């Protein structure tokens, strides 16, 4: 029987929360608040954390801030295997250095985008993943062709897995049909849900993990939804999914960082500001996030 929960042998499985990063009013990083948030997520049913992803605003961090975020997450999680830092960078050498830093900190895996400074071809993508895998920590590929303009197709993922460069993929394309082709071409490659609003579809298609956004605000309900979905318990999962979907879909929008932070504020957690160039939500976008979040709170989600 395939396990879909967290285990130290394959620590990228289960609910791995792409964490938001708390900033003080002067926009300096509040490491104490971040440590509290990481510990709180794990105490409320999440299996681990993914710092320094897009939701963690890694592009706005200095090198020292980025390294300290990883160290803080490892200490707060209580087990470095529960931490999967994002190691995206413009150059393969820089991504390799971030992977080496993650390995030194004791992390169980890393999350890696393809080259995103230009539309890399398959040869460049393969070389990129091989270079980072050489750091010795398991690599989870991140397929986000919407933003990177580089598509990790099922065939390419199968080749990267066969080469030993990746152990799993965070699938964010939104095309749930790919789950079945990935399983056919690379049956040992772990499929991880990459967008909150296709959670049920990918769970039913065989996903064994979720790199998640909205557990930052509602970890208990999101954990209940995930576990029911991967168990095929539609009687539990479908009503939860319907209740949460108006909120979950904000994870796939351009303003996802501000949206999830605003939802955290409304739900009684600390979301707080984002660093420029991301600006606070206004108008219809803010109203949409607020309405969906307040509905989730009224429905008893937590």
């Amino acid at each position: 029987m395939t396990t879909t929960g967290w285990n130290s042998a394959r620590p990228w499985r289960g609910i791995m929360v792409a964490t938001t990063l708390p900033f003080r009013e002067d926009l300096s990083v509040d490491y104490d608040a971040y440590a509290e948030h990481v510990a709180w997520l794990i105490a409320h049913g999440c299996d681990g954390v993914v710092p320094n992803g897009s939701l963690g605003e890694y592009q706005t961090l200095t090198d020292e801030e980025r390294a300290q975020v990883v160290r803080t997450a490892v200490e707060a999680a209580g087990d470095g295997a529960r931490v999967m830092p994002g190691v995206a960078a413009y150059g393969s050498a820089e991504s390799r250095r971030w992977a080496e830093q993650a390995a030194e900190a004791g992390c169980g895996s890393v999350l890696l985008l393809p080259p995103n400074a230009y539309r890399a071809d398959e040869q460049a993508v393969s070389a990129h993943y091989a270079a980072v895998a050489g750091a010795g920590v398991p690599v989870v590929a991140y397929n986000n062709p919407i933003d990177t303009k580089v598509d990790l197709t099922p065939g390419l993922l199968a080749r990267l897995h066969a080469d030993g460069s990746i152990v799993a993929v965070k699938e964010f394309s939104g095309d749930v049909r790919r789950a079945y082709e990935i399983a056919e071409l690379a049956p040992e490659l772990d499929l991880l849900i990459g967008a909150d609003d296709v959670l049920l579809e990918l769970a039913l298609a065989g996903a064994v993990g979720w790199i998640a956004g909205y557990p930052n605000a509602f970890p208990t309900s999101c954990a209940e939804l995930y576990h029911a979905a991967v168990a095929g318990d539609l009687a539990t999962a479908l009503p939860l999914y319907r209740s949460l979907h108006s909120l979950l879909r904000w994870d796939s929008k351009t303003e996802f960082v501000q949206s999830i932070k605003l939802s955290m504020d409304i739900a009684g957690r600390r979301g707080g500001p984002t660093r420029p160039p991301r600006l606070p939500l206004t108008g219809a976008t803010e109203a949409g996030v607020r309405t969906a979040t307040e509905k989730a709170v009224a429905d008893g989600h937590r």
Side-chain angles (χ1 to χ4, degrees), residues 134-276:
V137 62
V139 175
V140 176
Y142 181 2
N143 186 37
N144 184 352
I146 300 163
D147 291 332
T148 66
K149 308 304 180 185
V150 177
D151 192 359
L152 302 180
T153 62
L156 178 53
L157 289 168
R159 289 188 285 278
L160 293 174
H161 183 254
D163 291 342
S165 295
I166 63 172
V167 297
V169 58
K170 174 185 176 180
E171 225 319 303
F172 189 80
S173 71
D175 184 355
V176 298
R177 297 169 297 183
R178 293 187 178 205
Y180 302 96
E181 189 175 359
I182 291 168
E184 292 166 8
L185 296 176
E188 298 302 314
L189 179 66
D190 281 346
L191 174 66
L192 308 182
I193 300 156
D196 291 0
D197 56 347
V198 289
L199 181 150
L200 182 60
E201 293 83 357
L202 287 180
L204 294 176
V208 295
W210 176 22
I211 297 181
Y214 259 97
N216 280 286
F218 297 100
T220 303
S221 293
C222 286
E224 183 181 1
L225 170 59
Y226 169 78
H227 289 295
V230 295
D233 178 7
L234 286 177
T236 300
L238 192 53
L240 277 170
Y241 197 46
R242 284 176 170 154
S243 177
L244 286 166
H245 204 272
S246 63
L247 189 67
L248 298 180
R249 68 180 66 120
W250 286 100
D251 176 62
S252 295
K253 297 184 183 293
T254 302
E255 308 87 358
F256 73 108
V257 180
Q258 301 99 309
S259 299
I260 291 175
K261 283 192 163 185
L262 176 58
S263 292
M264 292 170 68
D265 288 333
I266 295 169
R269 295 298 295 167
R270 177 181 172 185
T274 54
R275 279 184 174 176

Side-chain angles (χ1 to χ4, degrees), residues 26-50:
D26 65 359
L27 298 185
S28 61
V29 179
D30 190 335
Y31 297 106
D32 291 339
Y34 182 60
E36 186 276 334
H37 186 55
V38 169
W40 180 80
L41 288 170
I42 292 173
H44 284 79
C46 301
D47 297 299
V49 294
V50 183

